[in-house]
Amino acid sequence: MSSLYPDDRLTTARDAARRGGVDALLMTPGADLRYLTGYNAHATERLTCLVLPAEGDPLLVVPVLERAMVAASPAGSLDLDVAGWEETEDPYAVVGTHLRSALGRAPERVAVGNRMWAEQVLRLRDCLPGAELGLAGSVLRDLRMIKTSAEVEALRRAGQAIDRVHARMGEFLRVGRTEREVGRDIAAAILQEGHVSADFTIVGSGPNGASPHHELSDRVVHAGDVVVVDIGGTTADGYCSDNTRTYVCGGPAPGEVADYYAVLLAAQQASTAAVRPGVTPHEVDAAARDVITAGGYGEFFIHRTGHGIGLEGHEEPYIVAGNSEPLRPGMAFSIEPGIYLPGRNGARIEDIVVCTADGVDPLNVIGRDLVVLPG
Ligand code: ZN
Ligand code: ZN
């Protein structure tokens, strides 16, 4: 666990802030705070805020009743001062006062976490008169996008956990059950197989499979239905899984499905094979899209090819046309082309992969063929 949250990360982030001309980073609960400190705080109306000035010491401002949780987290073993505020204190004033004393002056440019609540942003702004506020994402993206080997192993454990859920799909996905019943069982299996939360369960049966973000409905699964199952969760160390396989339930698939599934599989393989340092996300997207277009289904692939993954299920880099920032070793993202025939059915194949020094490291290894379940 300790190497997942190395104790030099605050220094690295502070240096990045300084290089970016930012006087301080302010982080409330979420992936950025967890990335920097290992503290997985619950976001509530009580302010928890990491104050990371470009000069001087960082400070974690927390409700006094949550101090023990900080101590029990990886943040407890960092050299990080913690200020517990009492119920009648103004924690925003604590942030402002610490920043001015650490810098020895009023801050001019402050970067807040991209997902900070608006009410917190506005109250912090009031406590930092004259400071220009920006987004911390521009400072942290270069750090968070490049996974350490400990992070890659955490993502691999998450990938193996979700692969085990797919391997059990015949237990859940059967003719006569509703998507909601199937989804409930899948969510339980996501927890049983090594996650602490089941973040999403997409069970798109028959025509619902043509809607890429369909979740669950009361539609009953019929014999011969094609079913898109896209599922993911978060493991105890904070890293996410996300994996899609497409099934046929209880009987042969409609003939068209076998045709386009072969195209889809070739597209997913071409896109994965394109991954290596220096290649752009635009090119990785095109590698999948070109195969699908050549197969005659281009108009039915209606989303980008993938997204980054780590402490968040969707993060940079986005594998999308127009993204020309070259891949670097350590970037982790999904490859998930799909073909969706409105009103009929759809299919998607999704794996998480990591760009390595000389190619690609797939974190999901379960088979990618269309799986026919007995029903
Ligand atoms: Zn997915
Ligand atoms: Zn995904």
Side-chain angles (χ1 to χ4, degrees), residues 272-280 284 327-328 355-360:
T272 303
V275 172
R276 60 183 179 278
V279 169
T280 66
V284 175
L327 295 178
R328 285 178 276 162
C355 179
T356 65
D358 54 5
V360 64

Side-chain angles (χ1 to χ4, degrees), residues 20-191:
V22 170
D23 289 329
L25 302 177
L26 300 178
M27 299 294 163
T28 48
D32 286 333
L33 177 64
R34 191 169 193 178
Y35 178 80
L36 291 174
T37 66
Y39 183 40
N40 179 28
H42 191 58
T44 75
E45 77 289 356
R46 290 185 174 101
L47 184 72
T48 291
C49 185
L50 173 68
V51 184
L52 183 57
E55 311 285 342
D57 292 330
L59 181 69
L60 184 59
V61 177
V62 298
V64 73
L65 70 162
E66 293 175 5
R67 276 192 85 125
M69 291 164 59
V70 178
S73 81
S77 53
L78 297 178
D79 181 21
L80 173 62
D81 291 337
V82 179
W85 59 273
E86 307 278 350
E87 296 279 35
T88 55
E89 273 187 279
D90 176 4
Y92 295 88
V94 175
V95 171
T97 302
H98 179 73
L99 255 189
R100 283 183 287 274
S101 92
L103 295 168
R105 59 179 170 81
E108 290 168 17
R109 292 186 66 207
V110 172
V112 300
N114 289 38
R115 310 276 192 270
M116 186 183 284
W117 291 358
E119 64 180 22
Q120 297 168 330
V121 176
L122 296 184
R123 291 190 66 180
L124 286 166
R125 187 185 63 180
D126 290 344
C127 288
L128 303 168
E132 176 194 326
L133 296 190
L135 292 177
S138 57
V139 173
L140 295 180
R141 66 185 295 279
D142 265 358
L143 305 179
R144 281 190 50 192
M145 259 198 306
I146 307 300
K147 269 63 182 178
T148 63
S149 57
E151 287 183 283
V152 170
E153 291 317 306
L155 282 168
R156 194 185 313 278
R157 288 191 294 275
Q160 290 168 345
I162 208 70
D163 278 359
R164 291 195 294 273
V165 179
H166 273 292
R168 292 176 54 189
M169 199 54 60
E171 295 176 39
F172 321 125
L173 181 54
R174 292 197 299 272
V175 171
R177 306 193 78 203
T178 67
E179 292 174 357
R180 207 175 302 284
E181 289 168 335
V182 174
R184 203 176 292 141
D185 287 351
I186 291 172
I190 290 173
L191 300 179

Side-chain angles (χ1 to χ4, degrees), residues 200 213 230-231 241-244 304-309 313-314 333-336 348 350-352:
F200 58 93
H213 278 178
D230 184 352
I231 53 179
S241 64
D242 183 0
N243 182 257
T244 309
R304 66 191 177 206
T305 291
H307 54 82
I309 190 168
H314 285 197
F333 47 89
S334 68
I335 301 278
E336 51 176 308
R348 180 163 64 254
E350 175 179 24
D351 290 317
I352 304 303

